[in-house]
Amino acid sequence: MATQHDLMTKKLPTGTSPKQPFSHSERRGSRRCKITQLMRIRPSDPEKDHFEDMRGSVSVSRSGVFFQSSEPGYEVGMRLFVTMPYARDPASIAREYLAEVVRRDVLPTGMFGIGIKILMEMGLQHTYNFGTANSR
């Protein structure tokens, strides 16, 4: 009988045959949670075409986010500024992160499945809006 190590390395002892097909091992470092959280996403590279995408996450882990977008400008390796959770409330506090696109899938709906890896936290983003200032 095959040991757990044999199954993980796809080696079987001589004279045995696999009873089930092997599946690919999980590459993620942490579990994903299906959380919908509004995000504001924009390229960090001034050389790239600018876009601002407001999307809800499909799943989130400690170090990454997966979401769907109709924006065709995402490329694997692209660096992004991601503000989450994003809210238009003037008193809301959100965090901004530097992230990298690690996955871009074309979906049957015509949208794109985008996977990003969080590289570092940029800091808190305050969206205080005190209206227009009148100078005297």
Side-chain angles (χ1 to χ4, degrees):
M1 177 133 211
T3 65
Q4 184 176 6
H5 180 265
D6 292 335
L7 292 173
M8 289 176 60
T9 59
K10 296 186 181 181
K11 292 180 184 176
L12 292 175
T14 355
T16 61
S17 61
K19 295 182 180 178
Q20 296 177 339
F22 289 106
S23 63
H24 295 285
S25 64
E26 179 64 45
R27 293 178 13 195
R28 294 185 183 111
S30 58
R31 297 176 120 183
R32 293 215 170 243
C33 298
K34 292 185 185 290
I35 297 174
T36 302
Q37 192 171 57
L38 185 62
M39 305 177 294
R40 175 180 174 235
I41 308 151
R42 55 200 170 88
S44 69
D45 187 350
E47 303 281 321
K48 298 281 184 188
D49 289 337
H50 179 76
F51 61 84
E52 193 167 312
D53 205 4
M54 302 286 244
R55 296 291 164 180
S57 59
V58 173
S59 65
V60 178
S61 72
R62 285 182 184 225
S63 61
V65 179
F66 182 78
F67 62 97
Q68 295 179 359
S69 177
S70 57
E71 173 61 52
Y74 291 104
E75 302 170 6
V76 173
M78 173 185 245
R79 298 282 174 104
L80 305 167
F81 289 130
V82 179
T83 305
M84 66 181 176
Y86 182 77
R88 295 177 195 240
D89 180 8
S92 69
I93 297 176
R95 296 185 184 276
E96 187 164 53
Y97 301 90
L98 179 65
E100 181 179 346
V101 177
V102 294
R103 179 176 171 185
R104 181 182 183 268
D105 300 331
V106 179
L107 303 175
T109 60
M111 294 183 73
F112 302 97
I114 308 295
I116 60 173
K117 178 181 179 181
I118 304 295
L119 301 175
M120 66 182 282
E121 183 178 332
M122 303 296 288
L124 290 174
Q125 298 297 309
H126 300 278
T127 57
Y128 297 124
N129 182 1
F130 298 107
T132 57
N134 293 335
S135 57
R136 294 182 183 195

